[in-house]
Amino acid sequence: MVAEEDFTDRRRKLMRQIAANLAQVDGTRLRPGATDAEISEFECGNGVVLPASFRSWLEISDGGRLFSPEGIELYGVVHPPLLELDDPYTPEGGWLVVGMMPDTDLVLVSLTGEATVVYNREGGTFDDAVRYGDFFAFLEDVLRQWTISG
């Protein structure tokens, strides 16, 4: 059930570099990656295909915490907290909660494309200022913002 959608080997290499850079930032703890079989089991068991960029991230890190104590929590398919398709705060329209921002806004990936967004769960709205083409772009921006402001 893997959807590659132009997520190239070059971009996978860059994602591994982002993970290495994130791991060097104080307060970041990345969990070991999930195997292809573990990710496929999640997809098959839930009847979904994860976006290629997020799936590639799970192979590098199956969740973790970025920039503790006030940082971002990312979810995994093997390591808790686990991805849940029935999250009550998920908006309609094929989104999966993959993390939580420090202000409790949710990080969502599209189950119908590659988009990654930050969703204001209190207001029930998407913020167009925090909409990314894929999970890779989200990680790039997060690393840039936190290393500049941190």
Side-chain angles (χ1 to χ4, degrees):
M1 282 187 119
V2 180
E4 289 304 316
E5 298 182 18
D6 297 326
F7 202 74
T8 63
D9 288 339
R10 178 180 177 276
R11 290 192 39 104
R12 282 185 179 85
K13 183 178 180 180
L14 291 171
M15 188 174 285
R16 284 191 295 275
Q17 185 59 54
I18 287 174
N21 292 343
L22 286 168
Q24 298 302 312
V25 178
D26 285 342
T28 294
R29 199 168 92 216
L30 301 176
R31 293 181 181 91
T35 66
D36 183 61
E38 290 167 331
I39 298 167
S40 292
E41 182 179 324
F42 173 84
E43 289 177 316
C44 289
N46 291 285
V48 298
V49 176
L50 296 174
S53 60
F54 183 66
R55 191 179 212 290
S56 292
W57 172 253
L58 290 173
E59 293 170 357
I60 296 167
S61 174
D62 186 52
R65 182 170 281 280
L66 310 178
F67 323 115
S68 288
E70 304 163 0
I72 301 167
E73 183 77 36
L74 295 176
Y75 308 155
V77 295
V78 177
H79 299 92
L82 299 175
L83 296 174
E84 292 184 41
L85 283 160
D86 59 353
D87 187 299
Y89 295 104
T90 304
E92 296 294 322
W95 296 97
L96 175 65
V97 177
V98 299
M100 185 179 295
M101 302 295 285
D103 58 4
T104 72
D105 285 351
L106 302 174
V107 180
L108 308 175
V109 296
S110 173
L111 292 173
T112 60
E114 279 291 326
T116 298
V117 298
V118 175
Y119 179 74
N120 179 325
R121 75 178 188 178
E122 281 188 25
T125 60
F126 291 99
D127 182 347
D128 287 335
V130 285
R131 183 177 292 266
Y132 304 92
D134 62 18
F135 197 72
F136 173 80
F138 166 75
L139 290 173
E140 277 186 314
D141 190 50
V142 164
L143 178 62
R144 183 186 53 78
Q145 285 186 37
W146 282 79
T147 53
I148 290 172
S149 66

